[in-house]
Amino acid sequence: MSLTERIAALEAELENAKARTADEVEKFRVAMLGRNGAITELFETFKQVTSEEKRALGQRMNQLKQAAQARLETLRSAVEAEGPAQQGPSIDLSAPALTEPLGSHHPISIIRDRIVEVFGRIGFTVSHGPEVEDDHHNFGALNFAPDHPARDMQDTFFVRSADPAQDRIDGIDTTITGLHPNELALRTHTSSVQVRVMETTKPPIRTVSPGRVYRNEAISARAHCMFHQVEGLYVDKGVSFAELKGTLDYFTKSMFGPDVTIRMRPSYFPFTEPSAEVDMSCTICGGAGCNICKHSGWVEIMGCGMVDPAVLANCGIDPEEYSGFAFGMGVERIAQLIYRVPDLRMYWENDVRFLDQFTAATFRS
Ligand code: PHE
């Protein structure tokens, strides 16, 4: 290649030179004007040419060098004008992924699902029923006497009939007197679901019914007008109280750990005979005594008993052939013992600072 051709080739190269980053600008500088750069080397060659050629090409050589310097400045200021963000590759593949804030399951859902799962392991299915119930399923079939106080307006939310004529009995406005014809109510427990299961299923029956229940309570740290239950029912030939106790012992150990023990105290429910309250050794203080167990070392966690033969008969199951046990617990209560939530109202305020704390548990359950 003659000197003229080399000059022309470099002129073209300068024209086309591009740089997107400061590094590329520097590479361009080194390649052209550095100690071993193309233009620097061309000047070395130029020293050796004849004086005739020097005269002919000297000016063009100087212009080439100036053009290279000008191009370098142009590229440098263009890259600087783009700002630092553009100086690296546009994606940093080594950067950690952006984390979207995670939602969480509600603590009551988490505990409800765990309770259901623990019973599922020993063969209990899950049953659901309506939250608006009739008297028969919520009370009648369960042996509540017609004048049982649980049917009273104090405890039960009755649902007004869609038919305004139903609001009057013998011409008296029952919405004022409280003598409302109580054909429908918000269920006060999920025992109503068990009635529905017994009415439609031939034993053996092993099922739990989780769900919302409603009672007319003043809202406080310890009570709410809506809460959640998981009730359980087992009906088969020869079901015994010992099996009830064994099942609940299995449940509490599965939920709270192998060290907890349970005890049963005689109690009363219209639909079970005999009936018992189940206490668990206090997991908060380990039995030493604390506020949660009212310094007794025991916390009440559920009610239970052998299904009253009259209830089986009400649901079309022969009590001579079958027996069964039932139990029922409040999910909020179990959750309180696990999460130590001091005030029931926190469950329903939906404060994200409260709910966020259950994100990890959501993905464990
Ligand atoms: N239905 C009872 C309640 O709501 C709980 C219970 C269920 C008790 C089954 C005994 C047997 O309080």
Side-chain angles (χ1 to χ4, degrees):
M1 218 192 269
S2 73
L3 194 56
T4 324
E5 282 167 346
R6 286 174 69 184
I7 292 172
L10 283 171
E11 280 169 349
E13 209 176 305
L14 290 181
E15 276 292 307
N16 295 326
K18 289 193 174 59
R20 283 179 301 121
T21 65
D23 274 355
E24 288 174 11
V25 173
E26 178 60 8
K27 263 193 206 135
F28 169 79
R29 188 192 66 76
V30 172
M32 289 295 170
L33 301 163
R35 235 183 316 138
N36 301 315
I39 292 174
T40 317
E41 274 177 2
L42 200 62
F43 270 92
E44 289 303 317
T45 315
F46 186 69
K47 278 184 197 158
Q48 287 145 35
V49 301
T50 59
S51 34
E52 211 171 298
E53 273 185 299
K54 278 192 178 132
R55 238 175 290 128
L57 293 173
Q59 200 182 358
R60 193 141 167 228
M61 284 290 289
N62 284 332
Q63 279 166 354
L64 178 68
K65 190 170 187 174
Q66 280 161 15
Q69 278 158 348
R71 188 77 191 145
L72 178 65
E73 279 320 304
T74 313
L75 292 177
R76 186 175 280 156
S77 48
V79 164
E80 277 166 10
E82 291 279 356
Q86 292 300 314
Q87 295 200 5
S90 51
I91 302 173
D92 177 0
L93 295 175
S94 67
L98 285 180
T99 51
E100 290 295 327
L102 285 175
S104 58
H105 285 162
H106 193 278
I108 296 302
S109 306
I110 295 169
I111 297 301
R112 176 204 59 206
D113 290 351
R114 263 190 227 169
I115 297 170
V116 167
E117 192 264 330
V118 165
F119 283 107
R121 275 188 244 155
I122 55 169
F124 280 77
T125 61
V126 179
S127 308
H128 295 284
E131 290 180 26
V132 178
E133 260 301 2
D134 52 44
D135 182 89
H136 166 74
H137 289 99
N138 197 79
F139 296 124
L142 289 162
N143 236 8
F144 282 80
D147 57 352
H148 193 283
R151 290 176 136 140
D152 196 280
M153 297 291 279
Q154 299 297 309
D155 288 304
T156 308
F157 288 113
F158 293 100
V159 177
R160 282 183 61 180
S161 163
D163 175 5
Q166 294 269 346
D167 288 341
R168 303 186 85 80
I169 296 176
D170 296 334
I172 299 165
D173 184 346
T174 56
T175 60
I176 296 170
T177 62
L179 287 165
H180 200 265
N182 53 7
E183 75 277 19
L184 287 179
L186 297 180
R187 67 183 177 195
T188 60
H189 51 185
T190 59
S191 302
S192 55
V193 181
Q194 306 181 353
V195 170
R196 288 176 178 275
V197 171
M198 285 191 282
E199 283 175 344
T200 53
T201 318
K202 197 176 154 4
I205 295 168
R206 245 176 314 190
T207 195
V208 286
S209 39
R212 283 190 201 121
V213 300
Y214 304 83
R215 290 180 197 176
N216 192 359
E217 308 250 9
I219 294 171
S220 72
R222 302 164 60 89
H224 210 285
C225 57
M226 184 276 290
F227 60 101
H228 296 75
Q229 283 189 326
V230 176
E231 295 214 354
L233 173 73
Y234 178 29
V235 181
D236 203 350
K237 288 179 179 154
V239 175
S240 71
F241 197 93
E243 285 170 288
L244 169 60
K245 190 167 185 187
T247 302
L248 299 183
D249 189 54
Y250 154 80
F251 165 74
T252 41
K253 286 184 164 59
S254 304
M255 267 325 264
F256 294 96
D259 296 335
V260 301
T261 51
I262 57 167
R263 70 176 187 188
M264 288 168 144
R265 282 178 290 113
S267 184
Y268 174 78
F269 298 100
F271 37 89
T272 47
E273 180 60 37
S275 306
E277 300 285 354
V278 182
D279 293 343
M280 178 182 73
S281 53
C282 183
T283 49
I284 309 281
C285 63
C290 67
N291 284 341
I292 300 288
C293 64
K294 301 195 193 96
H295 301 280
S296 70
W298 294 94
V299 286
E300 190 181 310
I301 53 167
M302 67 176 106
C304 68
M306 300 306 291
V307 181
D308 192 305
V311 172
L312 293 175
N314 288 343
C315 300
I317 293 173
D318 181 359
E320 297 295 329
E321 197 181 351
Y322 293 104
S323 58
F325 65 67
F327 54 86
M329 68 191 92
V331 180
E332 282 79 355
R333 177 85 178 128
I334 305 292
Q336 182 196 34
L337 293 170
I338 289 173
Y339 294 133
R340 306 186 189 188
V341 175
D343 187 327
L344 264 185
R345 289 168 290 196
M346 296 173 96
Y347 287 124
W348 316 121
E349 282 164 357
N350 284 334
D351 185 328
V352 286
R353 292 168 301 179
F354 174 75
L355 297 176
D356 269 355
Q357 297 177 54
F358 300 95
T359 313
T362 299
F363 297 98
R364 195 152 40 78
S365 66

